[in-house]
Amino acid sequence: MPRGQVFVIPERCKGCRFCIEFCPEDVLTESEGMNAKGYHYAVVAEGKEDACVDCRFCRLVCPEFAIYTEEVQ
Amino acid sequence: MSRETAVKSHPLDPLLRADRLPHIWCPGCGLGSIMACLSSAIAASSIPAEKHVIVSGIGCTGRVAGYMKLDSFHTTHGRAIPFATGLKLANPELEVTVVSGDGDLFAIGGNHFIHAARRNIDINVVCVNNFNYGMTGGQAGPTTPVGARTSTTPQGATEPTFNLPLLAATLGAVFVARWTSLHVRQLEKAMSRVMEKDGFSFIEVLSPCPVGFGKSNDIGDGLDEMSMYRRNGVVSHDADLTEAGIDMKHDSPIVLGNFRDVERPALGVRQ
Ligand SMILES: Cc1ncc(C[n+]2csc(CCOP(=O)(O)OP(=O)(O)O)c2C)c(N)n1
Ligand code: SF4
Ligand SMILES: [Mg+2]
């Protein structure tokens, strides 16, 4: 199973939660802090540091081009 | 491994006018997800980006053309298909994809759709169906489900609707699919398929418009509509399209799939 690293662009997020809700591995959650527009952006949840499988679902479903993953060896 | 890494750009930014992001679409709107699938399919395509052209009409969906860093054209309301037809006939080397709304393509632009499909002009048409005219304040259109409340049907819409995959297949479209802004993997694949296929291809994409449609129909926000797609979406590539109409009132199944992929002599094909 590939392993993925999550990258986020906090300022683009509008808090729709699509990635959080539909990540097949439940990797993501809302940030504690907010971005400049007042949205809680997506971050990796505690205890899920090794859970991303680089499936690319968040990259495709994010309407804001605010999250993607890359495979790590 | 670590938690998330904060960065400033996205791998698809080279295909976007990234200086215009964040875009104007509402939080929970599905348009951005569809544009992500489109950008991804173009990035993966064997046709170079310089040959890809995006044509939109008017509406929230029509904004897609303005956000893609390609030769892209934001045409007048309803006229994306005739504009795309002209581009393709004048320069068959181009890979021409129309991305427009249900109102643009099937209300004011309906006649162009039927003749382009009949002629089998070699273009791809992606219709973002959010069941209403999102940009102008949530009016009812030809895809508003019976019973749905909109700003022009406050008691619930009563007119029969178009079943878009059935319409496209009946008219002779060589590729016909329906997906949603949640079914992003399947949508990306369908987009890749139509980019390599000759002839008139049609993809309907159901998409949340929480402001214009969801709010007044007890769907709530975009996430609720996406959850409805997950709950009610039934993938059936061999579906009988006469049974594929959308009836949201009863929370009934929504038929999804790549319904048709056939060959027919096409107009405007690269030689
Ligand atoms: C000739 C003309 N008539 C009417 C309008 C007003 N108008 C702008 S967008 C639109 C409908 C958009 O609906 P749709 O195509 O479904 O796009 P959406 O905003 O839902 O993505 C209308 C009627 C116009 N711009 N031009
Ligand atoms: S009005 Fe509807 S279609 Fe337009 S940006 Fe908002 S949610 Fe999207
Ligand atoms: Mg619409």
Side-chain angles (χ1 to χ4, degrees), chain B residues 3 38 43 80 114 142-143 169 204 207 213 216 225 242-243 261 271:
Chain B
R3 303 282 284 265
L38 179 70
I114 65 177
T143 61
E204 176 185 21
S207 179
F213 187 80
S216 49
E225 189 158 333
T242 61
E243 301 288 321
D261 190 339
Q271 295 306 323

Side-chain angles (χ1 to χ4, degrees), chain B residues 102-103 128 130 132-134:
Chain B
D102 48 285
V128 178
N130 54 18
N132 80 116
Y133 301 168

Side-chain angles (χ1 to χ4, degrees), chain B residues 15 42-53 70-71 93-95 195 270:
Chain B
L15 283 174
I42 292 173
S45 152
S46 60
I47 302 163
E50 313 84 79
K51 301 271 185 208
H52 279 276
V53 175
L70 297 167
D71 285 337
E93 288 296 306
L94 299 177
E95 181 59 30
M195 285 169 192
R270 277 182 286 271

Side-chain angles (χ1 to χ4, degrees), chain B residues 28-79:
Chain B
C29 175
L31 275 163
S33 314
I34 298 163
M35 191 165 75
C37 295
L38 179 70
S39 315
S40 244
I42 292 173
S45 152
S46 60
I47 302 163
E50 313 84 79
K51 301 271 185 208
H52 279 276
V53 175
I54 304 297
V55 184
S56 299
I58 301 295
C60 293
T61 311
R63 295 274 176 152
V64 168
Y67 289 120
M68 301 291 304
K69 202 198 255 174
L70 297 167
D71 285 337
S72 58
F73 300 89
H74 192 193
T75 70
T76 49
H77 195 26
R79 313 303 165 211

